[in-house]
Amino acid sequence: MARARLNSGDAPTEDLPKPKLTKTTLKKAARLLAYLRPYRVKFVIGMGFLFLSSLTALAFPALLGSMIDAAQGKQSYAWLPADIRTIGIVAFVILFIQSAVSFFRIRLFVEVAEKSLADIRRDSYYKLITLPLDFFSNRRVGELNSRLSADLAQIQDTMTTTLAEIIRQVILLTGGVCLLFVVSGKLTLLNLSILPILVVIAVVFGRFIRKLSRQAQDRLAESNTVVQETLQGISNVKAFVNEAYEASRYSKTLQAVVKIAVKGATYRGMFASFIIFCLFGAVVAVIWYGSSLVAAGDISVGELTTYILYSIFVAGSMGSFPELYANVQKAIGASERVIEILEEQEEDSGLLQEEKSIERHLHGSIAFDGVTFAYPSRREITVLKNVNFEARAGEKVAIVGPSGTGKSTIASLVLQFYKPDSGRILFDGMEAARYALTDIRSQVAIVPQDVLLFGGTIRENIAYGRLTADAEEIITAAKRANAHHFIMDFPEGYDTMVGERGVKLSGGQRQRIAIARALLKDPAILILDEATSSLDSESERLVQEALEELMKNRTSIIIAHRLSTIREADQIIVVEGGQVVAAGSHDELMGMEKGLYRHLYKLQLADK
């Protein structure tokens, strides 16, 4: 179970495998660079400041070395006077220039990156909310949220810091190595003879340690999964008295984490000791050999100082590249995952229009003509098989049958969440494809069994049915839905916060808020998906009264579990195994001696 969770996409971005930098991955990532285009002028100016800042940094070792030589009455470079005071003033002028340039560089890069990231976030979110429902059935909310948070945060870090830092370090490394040869070719050859050994050992050790780190992260993620599962199901843990078992399970995962962490620490310690020895050994070797060159008169003390400072620049640049490369890899992986979303095919580009103007109004007639359907994620299971029925405008049509026979799937197809594999769905005698998707959904409302409310106020949740509704229209809808009375019992009335998913309200209260929302929408077609099946008797009575008000003068498709609530329906359609096995009024279906409807109705009567 833990492994399944880890593979589902909930793992942090840094735990995901880093892609190799190939032409394909770089080409994909480069698509996001197109978001820099509107801000390219500021980006280019920032890049110019970056070059200037890096080049001025390379001047300081030469200035400091010249200052030391000037103190001994020597002149290191012809372009600098052998005057300590003049060199010091030049150094402070360059330092001031670098400080000012660095400010503008950081300011411009951050502005460009933040605005570009805002555009990427907006487009990613817009794309997500316009994708078909099947896209979400195959992915977890945590995974998608990670795309908009962790992945984009990684891209943001790369665009604001990593990209500029790579360019800066390349300039410092290239310039530093060239200046090392200028100052002393002999010392540079000594450094270069040591460098390959250090690089090879660092790469080998680094890969091994990263592998151990990933293992430790995986184990830690497993232990966190144990905590998450236990706390989510704490009532079951206590009901089965399994506290000791869960504690033992958590302890075992922690022991595994500790074991890998200690092993990793051992190798990291060995690696760190080796690197420290090599680095300081290289410094000692350079100073030792450099001192002998000073004694021989090949270089001056100031030039040795300059060389050591440039060596530090070069070493610092080289040391930063592994981390920068790792950040680029993470950003490439994050870019690929974000681009996957941006490349998905949305349902309808018109879904993002703020004005929901209806081009074709529905009278309310709806028909299924030979509809066969299987969910895209489960093609092997045919949910609906050649379903035929018609609901005329203003009729109440109930759909009944055992659980899992496709009743709710019919509701999803009416709302055009999915398209039938074969057959047609007709609205007012015309195929659904001839209507704009926004026209259909704007004129169809659903009151589900499990009502989802947003975490705002009651007023905002009712107004979700029609965002332009004024306060009076909201109150009128609430009164018609039998909700006004309980709303006014709250101290804040319509401004009461309902909590996440409406947890502060009871099931009946949530249903009546949903009914008020549907009333405000004033749909031509209404779908009631077992809207009262999970309520107590009193709540069911109040909700049923509200539903009767809601169903007036509109086509109603009632998916019912309690058959007693649909006796007055104009037509009852019985579904079994994804097929319509009978249709008619309550009395007609009860007259069928061996009919499924009669059997189900008698079973419910026997349960009372």
Side-chain angles (χ1 to χ4, degrees), residues 42-43 46-48 50 104-114 159-161 163-164 167:
K42 289 185 177 179
F43 182 78
M47 195 66 72
L50 174 62
F104 288 111
R105 170 181 67 83
I106 294 170
R107 172 70 174 73
L108 288 169
F109 269 121
V110 170
E111 180 183 350
V112 169
E114 288 294 342
M159 292 178 70
T160 54
T161 307
L163 185 62
I167 296 170

Side-chain angles (χ1 to χ4, degrees), residues 177-219:
V177 170
C178 292
L179 291 170
L180 283 176
F181 275 105
V182 170
V183 175
S184 176
K186 293 179 180 179
L187 281 173
T188 305
L189 291 173
L190 172 66
N191 269 340
L192 292 178
S193 66
I194 300 173
L195 185 62
I197 302 171
L198 287 176
V199 170
V200 170
I201 295 176
V203 168
V204 174
F205 256 97
R207 286 180 179 175
F208 182 67
I209 290 172
R210 279 198 299 275
K211 183 179 178 181
L212 286 177
S213 296
R214 281 197 295 270
Q215 290 177 2
Q217 288 172 345
D218 288 345
R219 293 294 185 184

Side-chain angles (χ1 to χ4, degrees), residues 278-351:
C278 290
L279 288 178
F280 281 97
V283 171
V284 171
V286 167
I287 295 176
W288 186 2
Y289 184 49
S291 299
S292 66
L293 292 177
V294 170
D298 288 344
I299 61 173
S300 66
V301 175
E303 287 175 326
L304 178 59
T305 304
T306 300
Y307 186 91
I308 292 171
L309 292 175
Y310 278 131
S311 297
I312 293 171
F313 271 45
V314 171
S317 298
M318 293 184 64
S320 67
F321 277 117
E323 184 178 355
L324 293 173
Y325 181 75
N327 287 339
V328 169
Q329 283 183 301
K330 292 177 187 176
I332 294 294
S335 299
E336 286 186 299
R337 292 187 290 274
V338 171
I339 289 169
E340 281 177 13
I341 292 178
L342 295 175
E343 289 180 341
E344 289 285 342
Q345 182 61 46
E346 68 269 10
E347 285 183 300
D348 188 339
S349 58
L351 291 170

